[in-house]
Amino acid sequence: MSANEFYSELPSFSDFSTVGDLADYRPVPDDWYVLAADIVRSSDAVAQGRYKEVNMVGAAVIAAVLNRIGSDRVPFVFGGDGAMLVVSEHDVEAASDALAGVVGLARQVMELELRAAAIPVAHLRDLGGDVRVRKYQLSPGNHLAMILGDGLAVADNILKDPEKARPFEISLPDAALPPLDGLSCRWEPLPSRNGHIVSLIVKPTGRIPMQDVLRGLADKLGYDPSRDDSRMRLADKTRLRFRFPPTGTRHEVRLGSPGKDFRGWAKALLEAMVFVISYHTGWRIGPFDPKRYFPELGLNTDHRKVGDSLQLVLDLTPEQFAGVEDYLKAGYATGDLVFGLHVSTSALMTCFVEDIGKSRHIHFVDGADGGFSLAAAEFKKRQANMVPKAVGQA
């Protein structure tokens, strides 16, 4: 296996219930880099009702890098208010240039400060972290990276410390506009059917395996979140809402067509109009086939993933939520796990459509009003209060 093609040549798996099989995770080569990006003071933006913009910038980080160097080559994890990507030494310069463009665009257009750094995996290992990866197939041609080893957590700690981050910071001089083709946010918020959209981050401390956590959650939910169950899918057609013009078009145009508002709006509205016609008639128009697209959409979301911790977006009844919360609190009290969660009444979905004709599209799902950003803040507070020996173990 070529070091540059480590991820593209990695075998994939399609049974999420095996995500906790640690022996199947492969170490990323030492000469690779973690690209870490995070919005500064994202909680302030959340308080101002700007979480959709925050999500858009986080998704733009992924879109820019994947458009520049290819989606098959890059493991990534969407974090709501940022993202983590892992790139080869061969690709790090091009990926960093694309990310620098997103940093500049976020600042100039969205008035959000995006921090970014390219940190060698070897350095993360020197600090006690690791980056081990599996490739989960959502549908043919569409994958999510599952990443363990605490390397992403170490990278996040570096990124948030200006002194530690300075040697790895991605600079802005002469940053070109990033390639954001395919980034869109045309769906309205996905409403909760059961009352609680829960953005959940949970991590075993090493005393119990991740499979036990999944089983514990399944017991409280009445279904297994690791199985491909329709109750896990937030983006099914009955829940999707589309209006014309889409509410998120303004954010899409501001990021994707800065300085070309008229052309950006015209393109976005034309595409939205074509979609509306196809959506309501069922006709295939050009490469867009609604009969194929909607089943794929339900599969191609990141509502469950592993990025050093298990991250889920769930739609829960009051009884399910109470049971899950009780289970998590009990596990935290015994030192078995750390968790953070945030409750919303709807979920947000931001899309990256690489090639609709070839069914290459990924959809990033997060709870509204703070989602993973606020869940992560709660997670870190709980983690800081744990007995040291229980913290940071894979």
Side-chain angles (χ1 to χ4, degrees):
M1 180 186 297
S2 164
N4 291 336
E5 304 297 333
F6 163 79
Y7 188 62
S8 61
E9 297 179 5
L10 200 66
S12 63
F13 72 106
S14 56
D15 182 358
F16 195 86
S17 68
T18 69
V19 74
D21 293 349
L22 302 184
D24 290 330
Y25 285 78
R26 297 289 179 260
V28 169
D30 256 352
D31 61 356
W32 279 45
Y33 288 74
V34 169
L35 296 186
D38 175 73
I39 292 176
V40 179
R41 295 183 298 278
S42 59
S43 58
D44 292 346
V46 170
Q48 296 164 9
R50 302 180 63 202
Y51 199 53
K52 184 59 181 177
E53 295 169 63
V54 168
N55 270 191
M56 278 291 289
V57 171
V61 169
I62 296 171
V65 174
L66 267 54
N67 278 330
R68 181 62 59 86
I69 63 178
S71 60
D72 293 336
R73 299 163 66 95
V74 184
F76 61 84
V77 179
F78 173 69
D81 60 352
M84 296 276 182
L85 306 99
V86 191
V87 301
S88 70
E89 182 180 35
H90 176 270
D91 291 326
V92 68
E93 183 176 354
S96 296
D97 286 345
L99 182 48
V102 180
V103 171
L105 204 57
R107 179 181 299 170
Q108 297 158 18
V109 175
M110 308 296 273
E111 297 181 347
L112 292 170
E113 182 181 350
L114 181 70
R115 283 181 295 209
I119 307 169
V121 168
H123 181 67
L124 299 175
R125 289 185 172 133
D126 288 343
L127 296 175
D130 197 3
V131 184
R132 290 176 283 135
V133 179
R134 293 183 73 189
K135 187 163 66 173
Y136 175 56
Q137 178 176 280
L138 299 166
S139 65
N142 297 288
H143 300 90
L144 288 178
M146 306 289 119
I147 304 178
L148 284 176
D150 282 345
L152 301 188
V154 175
D156 184 63
N157 289 335
I158 290 172
L159 185 65
K160 286 179 166 57
D161 185 323
E163 287 300 316
K164 292 179 181 178
R166 188 165 292 114
F168 312 110
E169 189 175 6
I170 292 176
S171 60
L172 290 177
D174 303 319
L177 288 176
L180 297 181
D181 298 347
L183 179 67
S184 65
C185 56
R186 296 173 188 173
W187 293 108
E188 297 302 299
L190 308 174
S192 170
R193 288 184 183 143
N194 300 321
H196 299 77
I197 295 290
V198 179
S199 301
L200 172 63
I201 301 173
V202 57
K203 180 175 182 178
T205 60
R207 294 161 55 105
I208 62 172
M210 187 178 294
Q211 298 303 104
D212 283 5
V213 172
L214 285 167
R215 281 191 287 269
L217 291 172
D219 181 60
K220 300 301 180 182
L221 293 172
Y223 62 86
D224 189 344
S226 70
R227 297 293 180 183
D228 195 12
D229 191 302
S230 61
R231 286 168 289 188
M232 283 293 297
R233 296 184 188 174
L234 295 177
D236 60 81
K237 190 174 181 180
T238 61
R239 200 191 301 250
L240 294 170
R241 299 289 183 271
F242 191 88
R243 67 183 293 272
F244 187 86
T247 303
T249 303
R250 178 170 61 92
H251 308 317
E252 179 183 336
V253 171
R254 290 172 70 195
L255 276 176
S257 304
K260 303 176 182 177
D261 285 2
F262 177 77
R263 291 172 58 185
W265 272 100
K267 178 176 181 291
L269 292 178
L270 178 60
E271 290 175 353
M273 188 178 299
V274 168
F275 178 86
V276 169
I277 295 170
S278 184
Y279 176 76
H280 287 291
T281 64
W283 298 341
R284 175 171 181 161
I285 300 178
F288 181 72
D289 182 353
K291 293 184 177 67
R292 186 177 64 185
Y293 174 76
F294 286 107
E296 292 171 350
L297 177 57
L299 294 171
N300 291 353
T301 65
D302 72 337
H303 62 281
R304 55 184 182 181
K305 59 198 174 192
V306 175
D308 274 347
S309 56
L310 179 65
Q311 300 169 26
L312 304 172
V313 184
L314 303 165
D315 186 1
L316 305 183
T317 65
E319 294 76 19
Q320 288 173 321
F321 175 67
V324 166
E325 191 174 36
D326 286 346
Y327 167 74
L328 295 170
K329 286 181 177 178
Y332 178 69
T334 58
D336 288 339
L337 58 84
V338 190
F339 76 96
L341 60 81
H342 180 70
V343 181
S344 311
T345 58
S346 62
L348 304 177
M349 186 163 68
T350 306
C351 309
F352 175 54
V353 181
E354 186 178 7
D355 189 330
I356 195 67
K358 295 181 179 179
S359 299
R360 299 290 295 270
H361 50 101
I362 294 284
H363 307 270
F364 305 109
V365 176
D366 194 4
D369 306 321
F372 280 124
S373 177
L374 297 185
E378 184 180 278
F379 177 94
K380 289 174 183 177
K381 287 180 182 177
R382 285 199 175 94
Q383 189 178 56
N385 290 328
M386 287 200 78
V387 177
K389 67 179 181 181
V391 176
Q393 299 177 19

